[in-house]
Amino acid sequence: MSSDEHLTTAQTAAETIARSVAELTGTPVTVAAVRPRDTRPLTEADAAFLGEPLRPDPHMTEITASFDIGEDRADLWADAAQPTDLLILNLANSLIDIGQEYTGSSPFPPCPGHQHPLVLGHRPGTVYWCCPHNRSQPLHPLYQAGS
């Protein structure tokens, strides 16, 4: 898979997560950007010293997904070469951790009828929201391969 295909997969994954979290929390969650992960731009001197090209590596699979959660921005890192279900699981787990920090004592996203947040459940090819007391019972689907 090319780096462009990895970016497209990551963009779709991020949008799926943002829609789901916004629906479950009532908080505006949008994808601001998905881009190749660069720790910092190389200068010509850096590139010469490292013996690397100045342009981004076309095989690079690491991405940064930027989410806007209400008024806040979260920049999350992921490897877009992992299977889509794991990419979604990892990005969503990171997003809900940050969302919980932003919201303080309010569960993010809230578990229906409980005072704690929903958590993510995973089976190969499937990611879903569930109560932490019954992880085998999907409450809201997040991703299913082939759909």
Side-chain angles (χ1 to χ4, degrees), residues 42-118:
L42 286 177
T43 65
E44 287 183 24
D46 292 335
F49 175 76
L50 296 171
E52 294 183 8
L54 193 54
R55 65 192 185 300
D57 180 352
H59 304 291
M60 182 180 214
T61 61
E62 297 173 350
I63 57 98
T64 299
S66 298
F67 291 88
D68 289 334
I69 307 169
E71 302 290 320
D72 298 302
R73 166 97 21 116
D75 291 324
L76 307 176
W77 172 87
D79 184 350
Q82 61 190 317
T84 304
D85 59 331
L86 296 179
L87 174 63
I88 288 176
L89 179 68
N90 293 327
L91 279 175
N93 267 322
S94 295
L95 184 65
I96 61 175
D97 285 347
I98 289 172
Q100 188 64 60
E101 289 177 21
Y102 292 162
T103 61
S105 62
S106 300
F108 187 91
C111 186
H114 300 137
Q115 298 300 313
H116 54 253
L118 288 170

Side-chain angles (χ1 to χ4, degrees), residues 1-11 59-61 63 80-81:
M1 190 180 284
S2 73
S3 59
D4 286 343
E5 291 169 315
H6 287 300
L7 276 176
T8 300
T9 298
Q11 179 75 38
H59 304 291
M60 182 180 214
T61 61
I63 57 98

